[in-house]
Amino acid sequence: MHTLQIDNHSFSLPGEWKELSGEQFLKVASLCESRMSLAKFRLMLFTSFTGLRVLPKKEIYLNKQYYFYLAHGISREFLVASTELFQICKCFDFMLQPVDEASTSYRVNFTSIVNLVPVMPAPYAILHGPADGLSNLIYAEYIHAETAYDSFIRTGKWKHALRLVAILYRPEVRNLNLNSPEYNGDKREPFNDFFVADRALSLKSVGSEYITAVVMWYAACRNWIISRWPEPFESSGPSEKTDVFTGFMRMVTSLAGNDVTRTEKVRQSYLYDIMFTLQALAIENKRLKENLNS
């Protein structure tokens, strides 16, 4: 966390993603939806995170540089040099990544697996999201989430983003008892794909910054999962002729040993348990192939 000192007043500015509050992350998500220059993006973050605002007063030119008026509250005003303001705003560059090596354009690259938006308002209930890193997802839930995410990335259609959120965020389980020995740490009601379509439609009235934030966070989590367990994705991922859902269902069938009576048990297993198992199988298959070819 960076500390900015202006006269006798101190302001805190994040230096990495995990230092953002949920409200700040939603602000970043909101700004991502607007087309603006990099300079304006930085300035909007600065004013939002500090509570300062640029006053509509004519800037002062002094000692070969411009000074701007910044206000905090009703009566506090500060003069800040343009070069100083530029350097201060560059502290947000940890959020950015070049679009490509030759480009001067940047995109926001959210990399934290911490869920900064654990709850969100919805027309039908307060919704609770997954744990950090999607660690409490069951495999069936993950398959549907991956399918929705893939559809959103390929088409850009908002309905798929809404579906992703409807899959991951659910109302609190009825009669929840946090002190019960049966409580597993997940407040969400059990996943039921029957409710997803209607709930996705209801999410149209939720602030778009919530939807964008969840998509950004999900992307960060899936990147972390792929980096943690790369073998299953390298050996069993969907091909050009196989859609995402079919590809993952084939993995379910493989884990169930082609025994349909065990398929549902695999689907209801936790995602991380499945990933560990798939990784072990992929490594073993790779070793067997190497032995056969040697």
Side-chain angles (χ1 to χ4, degrees):
M1 188 71 75
H2 301 294
T3 299
L4 171 64
Q5 190 79 26
I6 303 179
D7 293 341
N8 296 322
H9 301 278
S10 298
F11 304 91
S12 295
L13 296 172
E16 53 185 327
W17 282 115
K18 67 180 182 181
E19 293 176 346
L20 267 69
S21 66
E23 183 180 355
Q24 289 172 333
F25 181 40
L26 289 172
K27 181 63 179 180
V28 173
S30 175
L31 292 176
C32 287
E33 298 173 356
S34 305
R35 291 184 176 275
M36 62 180 66
S37 67
L38 178 57
K40 185 175 181 181
F41 177 77
R42 288 169 171 157
L43 183 60
M44 292 291 286
L45 287 176
F46 170 75
T47 55
S48 175
F49 288 5
T50 61
L52 293 165
R53 64 186 187 279
V54 179
L55 289 176
K57 289 185 177 182
K58 184 174 178 58
E59 64 274 10
I60 296 175
Y61 188 71
L62 184 65
N63 296 328
K64 297 183 179 180
Q65 66 175 317
Y66 286 97
Y67 287 76
F68 294 90
Y69 286 95
L70 299 181
H72 187 260
I74 299 175
S75 58
R76 299 189 186 96
E77 291 187 8
F78 311 102
L79 269 177
V80 179
S82 56
T83 54
E84 293 177 347
L85 187 58
F86 175 76
Q87 289 299 321
I88 292 168
C89 290
K90 285 192 69 176
C91 76
F92 299 117
D93 284 1
F94 71 87
M95 300 182 181
L96 306 170
Q97 183 182 64
V99 173
D100 55 59
E101 292 182 1
S103 176
T104 57
S105 299
Y106 291 81
R107 64 181 180 86
V108 174
N109 181 36
F110 185 69
T111 57
S112 175
I113 64 172
V114 176
N115 189 353
L116 298 175
V117 188
V119 296
M120 73 168 62
Y124 49 91
I126 297 296
L127 304 183
H128 296 262
D132 297 346
L134 307 176
S135 60
N136 59 351
L137 259 64
I138 61 171
Y139 199 51
E141 183 181 0
Y142 177 68
I143 292 172
H144 284 276
E146 277 291 281
T147 304
Y149 178 80
D150 177 73
S151 296
F152 177 67
I153 295 301
R154 286 189 296 102
T155 68
K157 293 184 178 179
W158 195 242
K159 65 179 182 180
H160 299 302
L162 294 175
R163 182 173 178 83
L164 173 63
V165 176
I167 292 165
L168 299 175
Y169 281 72
R170 303 194 289 275
E172 185 177 290
V173 66
R174 291 185 179 181
N175 303 317
L176 178 65
N177 182 0
L178 301 180
N179 297 318
S180 170
E182 298 180 359
Y183 176 57
N184 62 4
D186 192 348
K187 293 183 178 181
R188 304 174 304 159
E189 65 180 27
F191 174 69
N192 186 336
D193 57 1
F194 177 79
F195 296 118
V196 171
D198 287 342
R199 288 178 174 176
L201 287 174
S202 298
L203 288 173
K204 286 184 177 181
S205 62
V206 173
S208 60
E209 69 275 13
Y210 281 95
I211 310 302
T212 300
V214 172
V215 173
M216 292 169 63
W217 174 67
Y218 183 82
C221 289
R222 75 186 299 274
N223 287 339
W224 181 85
I225 289 170
I226 292 171
S227 67
R228 178 66 179 82
W229 296 284
E231 290 84 0
F233 294 92
E234 293 171 357
S235 60
S236 305
S239 66
E240 292 181 1
K241 297 181 180 180
T242 305
D243 61 79
V244 172
F245 182 80
T246 301
F248 278 109
M249 286 308 297
R250 286 180 179 175
M251 294 167 72
V252 170
T253 302
S254 176
L255 285 172
N258 294 317
D259 184 349
V260 70
T261 62
R262 297 177 56 198
T263 299
E264 187 59 23
K265 183 177 181 180
V266 172
R267 285 168 46 84
Q268 295 301 315
S269 298
Y270 281 112
L271 170 62
Y272 283 16
D273 293 340
I274 293 290
M275 288 295 122
F276 274 112
T277 303
L278 287 173
Q279 178 175 257
L281 290 173
I283 293 174
E284 180 63 18
N285 287 337
K286 183 178 181 180
R287 185 185 65 81
L288 290 174
K289 288 180 180 178
E290 290 174 347
N291 290 339
L292 288 173
N293 294 330
S294 62

